[in-house]
């Protein structure tokens, strides 16, 4: 544990970091619960693209507020960028593969506009 | 205060990892497991981040970068192998698209069907828009 | 690979036209190392050139421009929506009671060009309660899975939200030709502030 001068800004940054930390952990938990509770593959994909990504972003923001070094912030920005770009791609590919191979029950989807002439 | 927040966050993330693990076990399909493993990777990243938040250390951040880069590869790979392309997926492509495809093709791709090429094209557009490669 | 593209001059021109990618890859390299030094920048540039030469990608049609103010609007709305959508999904997962039922909604985007279709699809996966299941590049129709169709206000509301998102994307990045073709003439809502200050760099090239 590195020693940091306990100044006002440190206290403020730490408080904000604690809030972000809890919010991020809550969202990650939401992703886990959704993963277990949502009934269909497509519904579960939503947890991967939304709460999981923002939860990670909030946790990393908290980390940036705690360490406050530019090189660390650069790498964390990179992590966030990768998450933002890759998780929709992964979710889309998994969702599409599941949809095309019949792992999704079309009767669950009301309305289901797929395949309608447009 | 920080101790309490870190403890609470660690518990929440640990529960999330457990739930993801249950989903990995239940399945039912390969894709469900892939998604759950993806989530498990992210909870691992979260756990490492929480530890770094507690100890204010920066040495573990490269681990986060590496995990976040490769975390999605698993589910994309599985999706690609699990996803059979339906036979009627044929789609007329414009001459420009075909020409761009031919220019990009380093390996013969005669065997692949249209859907696979469409995935390639999406990947390309993706990497130009973001920072994947 | 055609024999022409092996010629050094052609390759150089190709590299020059890909300076965005080179700059981006160099930036990633510098961020990975975590400090800005000449050694890092030069090494990153060398690696970027190697990557771009060894793994050539087809050019994408993006003759757009970047309008600062609409881009800020897009980014701010994106962050706000990301918060709302994430907490909504997390709450729907955690709250007791029945889980919501989903639906698939077809949305025909105004502009089926690859780059804008991709940006809109990625962003709509991240923000409103939707997930792209299929995308038809030929017609520009995106099939979205909606987690909670009743909570989202029905298919029409989803279509409206997605089209509004696409409008923000187009306003931020598309050329004036595309905007005019899509019926979003620059000058009204959102672009008024910089309509005179940003020269349309991609005029006349928008038709793919």
């Amino acid at each position: 544990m590195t020693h940091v001068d306990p100044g006002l800004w440190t206290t403020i940054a730490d408080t904000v970091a604690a809030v972000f930390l809890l919010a991020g952990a809550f969202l990650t938990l939401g992703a886990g619960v959704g993963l277990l509770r949502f009934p269909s593959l497509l519904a579960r994909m939503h947890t991967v693209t939304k709460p999981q990504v923002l939860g990670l972003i909030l946790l990393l923001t908290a980390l940036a507020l705690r360490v406050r070094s530019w090189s660390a912030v650069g790498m964390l920005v990179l992590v966030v960028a990768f998450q933002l770009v890759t998780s929709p791609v992964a979710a889309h590919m998994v969702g599409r593969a599941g949809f095309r191979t019949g792992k999704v029950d079309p009767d669950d989807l009301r309305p289901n506009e797929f395949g309608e002439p447009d | 205060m920080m101790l309490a927040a870190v403890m609470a966050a660690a518990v929440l993330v640990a529960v999330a990892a457990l739930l993801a693990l249950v989903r990995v076990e239940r399945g039912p399909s390969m894709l469900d497991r892939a998604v759950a493993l993806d989530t498990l990777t992210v909870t691992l990243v979260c756990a490492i981040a929480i530890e770094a938040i507690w100890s204010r250390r920066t040495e573990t951040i490269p681990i986060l970068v590496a995990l976040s880069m490769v975390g999605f590869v698993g589910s994309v790979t599985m999706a690609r192998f699990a996803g059979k392309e339906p036979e009627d997926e044929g789609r007329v492509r414009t001459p420009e698209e075909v020409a761009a495809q031919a220019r990009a093709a380093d390996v013969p791709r005669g065997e692949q069907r249209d859907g696979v090429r469409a995935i390639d094209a999406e990947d390309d557009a993706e990497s130009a828009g973001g920072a994947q490669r | 690979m055609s024999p022409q593209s092996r010629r050094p001059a052609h390759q150089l021109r190709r590299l020059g036209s890909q300076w965005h990618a080179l700059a981006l890859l160099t930036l990633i390299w510098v961020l990975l190392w975590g400090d800005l030094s000449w050694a890092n920048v030069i090494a990153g540039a060398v690696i970027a050139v190697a990557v771009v030469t060894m793994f050539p990608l087809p050019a994408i049609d993006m003759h757009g421009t970047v309008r600062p103010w609409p881009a800020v609007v897009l980014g701010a709305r994106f962050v706000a929506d990301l918060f709302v959508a994430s907490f909504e999904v997390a709450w729907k997962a955690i709250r007791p009671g029945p889980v919501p039922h989903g639906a698939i909604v077809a949305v025909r985007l105004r502009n089926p060009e690859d780059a804008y279709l991709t940006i809109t699809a990625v962003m709509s996966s991240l923000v409103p309660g939707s997930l792209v299941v299929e995308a038809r590049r030929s017609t520009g129709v995106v099939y979205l899975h909606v987690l909670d169709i009743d909570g989202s206000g029905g298919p029409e509301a989803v279509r409206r939200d997605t089209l509004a998102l696409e409008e923000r994307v187009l306003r931020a990045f598309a050329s004036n030709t595309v905007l005019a073709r899509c019926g979003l003439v620059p000058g009204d809502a959102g672009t008024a502030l910089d309509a005179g200050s940003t020269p349309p760099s991609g005029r006349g090239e928008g038709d793919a």
Side-chain angles (χ1 to χ4, degrees):
Chain A
M1 183 146 178
T2 331
H3 178 73
V4 180
D5 262 353
L8 177 65
W9 286 114
T10 308
T11 317
I12 292 177
D14 279 359
T15 313
V16 177
V19 172
F20 278 20
L21 173 64
L22 286 176
F26 169 76
L27 285 178
T28 309
L29 177 69
V33 175
L35 197 60
L36 194 62
R37 270 192 77 200
F38 285 162
S40 72
L41 175 66
L42 289 180
R44 276 174 226 137
M45 300 305 311
H46 283 273
T47 67
V48 179
T49 49
K50 284 168 221 86
Q52 184 180 304
V53 170
L54 186 66
L56 186 61
I57 291 175
L58 289 178
L59 278 174
L60 295 181
T61 314
L63 178 54
L65 283 169
R66 281 282 280 182
V67 297
R68 294 199 288 276
S69 93
W70 284 113
S71 70
V73 171
M75 280 191 250
L76 295 177
V77 167
L78 214 52
V79 176
V80 170
F82 277 124
Q83 277 295 313
L84 284 178
V85 171
T86 57
S87 80
V89 177
H92 164 63
M93 290 198 58
V94 172
R96 179 167 73 170
F99 196 68
R100 285 186 177 172
T101 50
K103 295 191 175 62
V104 177
D105 184 5
D107 299 337
D108 276 351
L109 303 163
R110 289 184 308 273
N112 179 2
E113 296 180 356
F114 185 72
E116 285 179 12
D118 42 32
Chain B
M1 174 197 71
M2 210 58 195
L3 178 66
V6 166
M7 292 295 268
V11 170
L12 293 181
V13 169
V15 172
L18 266 180
L19 295 176
L21 209 55
V22 172
R23 180 48 78 188
V24 172
E25 192 269 328
R26 278 199 198 163
S29 75
M30 217 54 193
L31 293 170
D32 292 283
R33 296 198 169 95
V35 175
L37 283 173
D38 201 355
T39 305
L40 198 61
T41 313
V42 174
T43 52
L44 186 61
V45 173
C46 289
I48 297 172
I50 289 174
E51 194 279 330
I53 286 172
W54 172 238
S55 58
R56 287 188 200 271
R57 70 164 85 201
T58 54
E59 310 93 85
T60 47
I61 292 178
I63 305 178
L64 307 184
V65 179
L67 277 179
S68 79
M69 276 188 204
V70 299
F72 86 116
V73 172
S75 42
V76 168
T77 314
M78 276 197 213
R80 218 161 159 162
F81 283 110
K84 279 207 307 283
E85 302 295 327
E87 293 300 327
D88 58 346
E89 259 310 297
R91 194 171 61 227
V92 182
R93 296 166 69 83
T94 63
E96 292 84 34
E97 279 176 322
V98 175
Q101 194 75 47
R103 258 183 278 123
D106 290 322
V107 290
R109 293 188 174 181
E111 312 264 307
Q112 296 183 358
R113 277 197 299 273
D114 199 45
V116 181
R117 287 194 217 138
I119 291 171
D120 289 335
E122 279 159 32
D123 287 353
D124 298 342
E126 193 62 45
S127 66
Q132 212 166 328
R133 296 172 196 203
Chain C
M1 195 177 266
S2 68
Q4 189 203 11
S5 69
R6 290 190 193 282
R7 289 214 311 267
H10 187 266
Q11 286 219 334
L12 269 183
R13 214 175 320 131
R14 192 180 140 80
L15 277 180
S17 70
Q18 287 183 312
W19 66 270
H20 304 90
L22 293 177
L24 190 66
L25 287 168
T26 312
L27 176 71
I28 291 175
W29 182 259
V30 171
L31 286 177
L32 276 177
W33 280 97
D35 69 320
L36 183 64
S37 70
W38 281 111
N40 274 343
V41 173
I42 291 168
V46 169
I47 288 172
V49 169
V51 167
V52 170
T53 335
M54 286 196 295
F55 306 101
L57 296 171
I60 54 164
D61 272 323
M62 183 145 183
H63 308 290
T65 169
V66 176
R67 295 186 186 79
W69 177 245
V72 169
V73 170
L74 176 71
R77 261 309 279 277
F78 175 75
V79 173
D81 283 350
L82 185 60
F83 270 81
V84 172
S86 298
F87 279 98
E88 239 175 46
V89 174
W91 173 240
K92 273 169 194 157
I94 289 179
R95 73 172 177 201
V99 284
H101 93 259
I104 290 199
V105 179
V107 183
R108 177 185 284 278
L109 299 180
R110 298 183 185 89
N111 185 20
E113 278 173 66
D114 284 351
Y116 306 109
L117 181 70
T118 309
I119 297 175
T120 310
V122 166
M123 290 182 83
S124 73
S125 287
L126 281 168
V127 290
S130 56
L131 180 82
V132 179
V133 180
E134 291 268 3
R136 294 261 182 278
R137 293 168 65 212
S138 48
T139 55
V141 176
V142 176
Y143 295 92
L144 298 170
H145 177 261
V146 186
L147 179 62
D148 183 3
I149 188 69
D150 304 320
S152 308
E156 285 311 317
V158 172
R159 258 191 281 278
R160 209 167 47 235
D161 288 350
T162 312
L163 285 176
L165 172 69
E166 196 211 3
E167 182 179 336
R168 289 198 292 276
V169 171
L170 289 179
R171 279 192 196 286
F173 301 120
S175 64
N176 285 356
T177 324
V178 175
L179 282 184
R181 180 152 48 85
C182 300
L184 308 167
V185 184
D188 57 340
T191 51
L193 275 178
D194 68 321
S197 64
T198 314
S201 66
R203 183 183 280 279
E205 301 177 316
D207 289 295

